[in-house]
Amino acid sequence: MTPEEYERWHVRNCARYGRRAAKSAEWSDGPICRTCYDRAMRVRGSCPNCRADRLLLGRDTTGTPICRDCAGITRDFFCDRCSFEGLLLRGRLCERCTLADTLARLLDDGTGHVALPLQPLVTTLLEMDRPKSRLIWLRTPNVVRLLRGLATGTIPLTHEGLHQEGPWRTVTHLCDLLMDCSVLPRVDRQILLYQRWLTERLATIEDPEHHLLLRHFTTWHQMRRLRATAENGPLRRSQTHQAKQETTQAGAFLARLANRGRTIEHSVRSLTTAPTL
Protein backbone atom coordinates (compact mmCIF):
# COMPACT_ATOMS: atom_id res chain seq x y z
CA MET A 1 0.00 0.00 0.00
CA THR A 2 1.40 3.36 -0.97
CA PRO A 3 1.28 6.34 1.42
CA GLU A 4 -1.30 7.93 -0.83
CA GLU A 5 -3.52 4.84 -0.69
CA TYR A 6 -3.19 4.60 3.10
CA GLU A 7 -4.10 8.28 3.43
CA ARG A 8 -7.14 7.87 1.19
CA TRP A 9 -8.50 4.65 2.73
CA HIS A 10 -7.59 4.89 6.42
CA VAL A 11 -6.93 8.49 7.51
CA ARG A 12 -9.89 10.61 8.55
CA ASN A 13 -10.71 13.68 10.63
CA CYS A 14 -11.66 12.32 14.07
CA ALA A 15 -15.28 13.20 14.92
CA ARG A 16 -14.38 13.81 18.57
CA TYR A 17 -10.83 15.13 18.71
CA GLY A 18 -10.85 16.88 15.36
CA ARG A 19 -7.32 15.85 14.39
CA ARG A 20 -6.49 13.96 11.22
CA ALA A 21 -5.37 10.43 12.10
CA ALA A 22 -5.81 6.76 11.25
CA LYS A 23 -9.38 5.63 11.85
CA SER A 24 -9.92 2.95 14.53
CA ALA A 25 -13.72 2.78 14.35
CA GLU A 26 -16.70 4.22 12.52
CA TRP A 27 -19.40 4.95 15.09
CA SER A 28 -22.69 6.82 14.95
CA ASP A 29 -21.00 10.19 15.46
CA GLY A 30 -18.39 9.56 12.77
CA PRO A 31 -14.82 8.24 12.40
CA ILE A 32 -12.93 7.71 15.69
CA CYS A 33 -9.12 7.84 16.09
CA ARG A 34 -7.16 5.44 18.31
CA THR A 35 -6.77 7.99 21.13
CA CYS A 36 -10.52 8.65 21.36
CA TYR A 37 -11.27 4.94 20.97
CA ASP A 38 -9.09 4.01 23.94
CA ARG A 39 -10.47 6.91 25.99
CA ALA A 40 -14.07 5.86 25.27
CA MET A 41 -13.29 2.35 26.51
CA ARG A 42 -12.54 3.76 29.98
CA VAL A 43 -15.85 5.62 30.45
CA ARG A 44 -18.33 3.70 32.57
CA GLY A 45 -21.44 4.73 34.48
CA SER A 46 -25.19 5.12 34.26
CA CYS A 47 -26.43 5.90 30.76
CA PRO A 48 -28.49 9.12 30.92
CA ASN A 49 -30.97 7.71 28.36
CA CYS A 50 -31.71 4.13 29.49
CA ARG A 51 -30.24 4.37 33.04
CA ALA A 52 -28.28 1.14 32.51
CA ASP A 53 -24.95 0.92 34.31
CA ARG A 54 -22.47 -0.04 31.59
CA LEU A 55 -19.78 1.15 29.17
CA LEU A 56 -20.55 4.62 27.82
CA LEU A 57 -18.65 4.75 24.54
CA GLY A 58 -21.27 6.57 22.45
CA ARG A 59 -22.13 10.27 22.33
CA ASP A 60 -25.48 12.02 21.96
CA THR A 61 -26.00 15.25 20.04
CA THR A 62 -24.71 17.29 22.99
CA GLY A 63 -21.56 15.18 23.40
CA THR A 64 -22.79 13.43 26.55
CA PRO A 65 -21.49 9.84 26.94
CA ILE A 66 -24.19 7.19 26.37
CA CYS A 67 -24.21 3.40 25.96
CA ARG A 68 -23.72 1.78 22.55
CA ASP A 69 -27.39 0.74 22.25
CA CYS A 70 -28.62 4.29 22.75
CA ALA A 71 -25.90 5.57 20.41
CA GLY A 72 -26.89 3.12 17.68
CA ILE A 73 -23.48 1.39 17.62
CA THR A 74 -24.01 -2.13 16.28
CA ARG A 75 -20.70 -3.68 17.33
CA ASP A 76 -20.73 -5.24 20.80
CA PHE A 77 -17.83 -5.11 23.27
CA PHE A 78 -18.66 -8.03 25.60
CA CYS A 79 -15.85 -10.44 26.49
CA ASP A 80 -16.51 -13.89 25.04
CA ARG A 81 -15.35 -15.48 28.31
CA CYS A 82 -16.60 -13.37 31.23
CA SER A 83 -19.14 -11.12 29.40
CA PHE A 84 -17.49 -7.95 30.78
CA GLU A 85 -18.17 -4.96 28.52
CA GLY A 86 -14.96 -3.11 27.72
CA LEU A 87 -11.88 -3.02 25.54
CA LEU A 88 -11.45 -6.33 23.73
CA LEU A 89 -8.06 -7.74 22.81
CA ARG A 90 -7.05 -10.82 20.85
CA GLY A 91 -9.69 -13.55 20.73
CA ARG A 92 -12.38 -11.08 21.81
CA LEU A 93 -11.20 -11.31 25.42
CA CYS A 94 -11.21 -8.39 27.84
CA GLU A 95 -7.99 -7.08 29.37
CA ARG A 96 -8.44 -9.00 32.62
CA CYS A 97 -9.04 -12.35 30.92
CA THR A 98 -6.07 -11.68 28.65
CA LEU A 99 -3.98 -10.88 31.73
CA ALA A 100 -5.08 -14.15 33.38
CA ASP A 101 -4.02 -16.13 30.30
CA THR A 102 -0.67 -14.33 30.13
CA LEU A 103 0.08 -15.02 33.80
CA ALA A 104 -0.93 -18.67 33.43
CA ARG A 105 1.52 -19.02 30.55
CA LEU A 106 4.42 -17.22 32.24
CA LEU A 107 4.02 -18.87 35.65
CA ASP A 108 3.50 -22.43 34.39
CA ASP A 109 5.68 -24.74 36.49
CA GLY A 110 5.85 -27.33 33.71
CA THR A 111 2.66 -29.18 34.65
CA GLY A 112 0.28 -26.87 32.80
CA HIS A 113 -0.65 -25.05 36.01
CA VAL A 114 0.56 -21.94 37.81
CA ALA A 115 3.31 -22.74 40.34
CA LEU A 116 1.53 -23.09 43.69
CA PRO A 117 3.74 -20.58 45.63
CA LEU A 118 3.06 -17.92 42.97
CA GLN A 119 -0.74 -18.18 42.90
CA PRO A 120 -1.13 -15.26 45.38
CA LEU A 121 0.83 -13.09 42.90
CA VAL A 122 -1.68 -13.96 40.17
CA THR A 123 -4.57 -13.01 42.46
CA THR A 124 -2.95 -9.69 43.39
CA LEU A 125 -2.22 -8.70 39.77
CA LEU A 126 -5.74 -9.60 38.62
CA GLU A 127 -7.29 -7.50 41.40
CA MET A 128 -5.34 -4.37 40.45
CA ASP A 129 -6.92 -1.57 38.43
CA ARG A 130 -5.82 -0.91 34.86
CA PRO A 131 -4.92 -4.48 33.79
CA LYS A 132 -3.55 -3.07 30.55
CA SER A 133 -0.57 -1.59 32.42
CA ARG A 134 0.15 -5.06 33.86
CA LEU A 135 0.03 -6.52 30.34
CA ILE A 136 2.56 -3.96 29.13
CA TRP A 137 4.81 -4.79 32.12
CA LEU A 138 4.57 -8.52 31.37
CA ARG A 139 5.88 -7.94 27.83
CA THR A 140 9.23 -6.74 29.19
CA PRO A 141 11.87 -9.40 28.40
CA ASN A 142 13.48 -9.21 31.85
CA VAL A 143 10.11 -9.61 33.58
CA VAL A 144 9.34 -12.64 31.40
CA ARG A 145 12.73 -14.18 32.27
CA LEU A 146 12.33 -13.57 36.01
CA LEU A 147 8.77 -14.93 36.23
CA ARG A 148 9.56 -18.02 34.21
CA GLY A 149 12.66 -18.63 36.32
CA LEU A 150 10.67 -18.34 39.56
CA ALA A 151 7.93 -20.63 38.24
CA THR A 152 10.30 -23.38 37.09
CA GLY A 153 12.63 -23.08 40.08
CA THR A 154 15.73 -21.97 38.16
CA ILE A 155 15.58 -18.74 40.21
CA PRO A 156 15.08 -19.36 43.96
CA LEU A 157 11.92 -17.76 45.32
CA THR A 158 13.84 -15.87 48.01
CA HIS A 159 15.19 -12.36 48.46
CA GLU A 160 18.71 -13.76 48.21
CA GLY A 161 17.93 -15.58 44.97
CA LEU A 162 16.39 -12.52 43.33
CA HIS A 163 19.31 -10.32 44.42
CA GLN A 164 21.51 -12.31 42.07
CA GLU A 165 19.37 -11.24 39.10
CA GLY A 166 19.06 -7.99 37.20
CA PRO A 167 18.30 -5.31 36.32
CA TRP A 168 17.92 -4.06 39.88
CA ARG A 169 14.93 -1.79 39.25
CA THR A 170 12.90 -4.64 37.74
CA VAL A 171 13.94 -6.99 40.55
CA THR A 172 13.05 -4.42 43.22
CA HIS A 173 9.58 -3.84 41.75
CA LEU A 174 8.98 -7.60 41.54
CA CYS A 175 10.13 -8.03 45.15
CA ASP A 176 7.67 -5.32 46.22
CA LEU A 177 4.82 -7.19 44.50
CA LEU A 178 5.86 -10.52 46.03
CA MET A 179 5.98 -8.95 49.49
CA ASP A 180 2.59 -7.25 49.00
CA CYS A 181 0.96 -10.63 48.32
CA SER A 182 2.93 -12.35 51.15
CA VAL A 183 4.86 -14.66 48.81
CA LEU A 184 8.10 -13.22 50.24
CA PRO A 185 8.56 -12.00 53.83
CA ARG A 186 8.39 -8.25 54.36
CA VAL A 187 11.83 -6.61 54.32
CA ASP A 188 12.65 -2.89 54.52
CA ARG A 189 13.02 -1.48 51.01
CA GLN A 190 16.29 0.28 51.85
CA ILE A 191 17.75 -3.01 53.06
CA LEU A 192 16.74 -4.66 49.78
CA LEU A 193 18.44 -1.90 47.80
CA TYR A 194 21.55 -2.14 49.98
CA GLN A 195 21.70 -5.93 49.54
CA ARG A 196 21.40 -5.45 45.80
CA TRP A 197 24.25 -2.94 45.81
CA LEU A 198 26.33 -5.22 48.05
CA THR A 199 25.95 -8.18 45.68
CA GLU A 200 27.27 -6.08 42.79
CA ARG A 201 30.06 -4.59 44.95
CA LEU A 202 31.32 -7.96 46.19
CA ALA A 203 31.32 -9.29 42.63
CA THR A 204 34.09 -6.77 41.81
CA ILE A 205 36.42 -8.10 44.56
CA GLU A 206 38.84 -10.49 42.87
CA ASP A 207 40.93 -11.45 45.93
CA PRO A 208 39.15 -14.43 47.60
CA GLU A 209 40.39 -13.48 51.07
CA HIS A 210 39.26 -9.87 50.72
CA HIS A 211 35.91 -11.07 49.36
CA LEU A 212 35.41 -13.33 52.38
CA LEU A 213 36.42 -10.64 54.88
CA LEU A 214 34.07 -8.07 53.36
CA ARG A 215 31.21 -10.56 53.28
CA HIS A 216 31.72 -11.36 56.96
CA PHE A 217 31.94 -7.64 57.80
CA THR A 218 28.74 -6.73 55.96
CA THR A 219 26.79 -9.80 57.12
CA TRP A 220 27.66 -9.80 60.81
CA HIS A 221 28.11 -6.07 61.39
CA GLN A 222 26.30 -3.90 58.88
CA MET A 223 23.30 -6.09 58.05
CA ARG A 224 22.72 -6.91 61.72
CA ARG A 225 22.79 -3.19 62.56
CA LEU A 226 20.47 -2.22 59.68
CA ARG A 227 17.93 -4.93 60.52
CA ALA A 228 17.92 -3.92 64.19
CA THR A 229 17.32 -0.29 63.21
CA ALA A 230 14.56 -1.25 60.76
CA GLU A 231 12.63 -2.95 63.56
CA ASN A 232 11.94 0.50 65.03
CA GLY A 233 10.78 2.06 61.75
CA PRO A 234 11.60 2.44 58.05
CA LEU A 235 15.24 3.09 57.25
CA ARG A 236 16.34 6.35 55.69
CA ARG A 237 18.45 6.41 52.54
CA SER A 238 21.24 8.13 54.48
CA GLN A 239 21.57 5.10 56.76
CA THR A 240 22.22 2.66 53.94
CA HIS A 241 24.41 5.26 52.23
CA GLN A 242 26.63 5.26 55.30
CA ALA A 243 26.82 1.44 55.18
CA LYS A 244 27.88 1.63 51.52
CA GLN A 245 30.63 4.11 52.37
CA GLU A 246 31.91 1.90 55.18
CA THR A 247 32.02 -1.10 52.86
CA THR A 248 33.87 0.86 50.19
CA GLN A 249 36.37 2.18 52.73
CA ALA A 250 36.91 -1.31 54.16
CA GLY A 251 37.64 -2.63 50.67
CA ALA A 252 40.08 0.22 50.02
CA PHE A 253 41.81 -0.47 53.35
CA LEU A 254 42.33 -4.15 52.45
CA ALA A 255 43.68 -3.14 49.05
CA ARG A 256 46.22 -0.74 50.64
CA LEU A 257 47.41 -3.48 53.00
CA ALA A 258 47.83 -5.87 50.08
CA ASN A 259 49.87 -3.29 48.14
CA ARG A 260 52.23 -3.08 51.11
CA GLY A 261 52.52 -6.85 51.39
CA ARG A 262 50.55 -6.99 54.64
CA THR A 263 47.35 -8.73 55.73
CA ILE A 264 44.63 -7.74 58.16
CA GLU A 265 45.83 -10.41 60.63
CA HIS A 266 49.38 -9.04 60.53
CA SER A 267 48.13 -5.50 61.12
CA VAL A 268 45.95 -6.53 64.06
CA ARG A 269 48.84 -8.51 65.59
CA SER A 270 51.14 -5.52 65.20
CA LEU A 271 48.66 -3.27 67.01
CA THR A 272 48.16 -5.71 69.91
CA THR A 273 51.92 -6.23 70.43
CA ALA A 274 52.94 -2.59 70.05
CA PRO A 275 54.59 -1.20 73.22
CA THR A 276 52.55 1.23 75.24
CA LEU A 277 53.99 4.60 76.23
Side-chain angles (χ1 to χ4, degrees), residues 22-68:
K23 180 182 70 173
S24 289
E26 184 75 37
W27 289 344
S28 55
D29 51 341
I32 306 298
C33 70
R34 169 58 61 180
T35 300
C36 292
Y37 183 92
D38 289 342
R39 185 180 294 122
M41 289 298 163
R42 307 296 176 191
V43 182
R44 310 189 68 85
S46 177
C47 177
N49 290 353
C50 65
R51 303 303 178 185
D53 189 11
R54 57 185 301 188
L55 183 68
L56 305 179
L57 53 82
R59 295 290 184 276
D60 63 14
T61 54
T62 63
T64 302
I66 56 178
C67 70
R68 74 174 185 90

Side-chain angles (χ1 to χ4, degrees), residues 140-187:
T140 309
N142 283 315
V143 174
V144 172
R145 176 181 57 82
L146 290 169
L147 292 180
R148 284 179 173 167
L150 292 173
T152 58
T154 56
I155 298 176
L157 187 54
T158 62
H159 286 296
E160 292 74 17
L162 284 168
H163 290 158
Q164 307 302 317
E165 304 297 326
W168 71 269
R169 292 184 186 276
T170 302
V171 171
T172 301
H173 179 62
L174 180 57
C175 283
D176 286 342
L177 287 174
L178 292 171
M179 288 189 293
D180 288 341
C181 59
S182 301
V183 172
L184 288 179
R186 178 66 60 180
V187 177

Side-chain angles (χ1 to χ4, degrees), residues 53-108:
D53 189 11
R54 57 185 301 188
L55 183 68
L56 305 179
L57 53 82
R59 295 290 184 276
D60 63 14
T61 54
T62 63
T64 302
I66 56 178
C67 70
R68 74 174 185 90
D69 292 337
C70 293
I73 299 174
T74 57
R75 179 184 173 187
D76 78 79
F77 298 88
F78 294 99
C79 174
D80 284 353
R81 180 181 299 171
C82 70
S83 299
F84 177 79
E85 188 180 25
L87 179 65
L88 299 181
L89 303 177
R90 183 179 300 178
R92 287 187 53 82
L93 296 180
C94 68
E95 294 171 310
R96 205 168 300 279
C97 288
T98 303
L99 176 59
D101 287 351
T102 302
L103 289 170
R105 184 176 67 255
L106 292 178
L107 299 178
D108 184 355

Side-chain angles (χ1 to χ4, degrees), residues 104-116:
R105 184 176 67 255
L106 292 178
L107 299 178
D108 184 355
D109 60 2
T111 66
H113 300 87
V114 172
L116 185 60

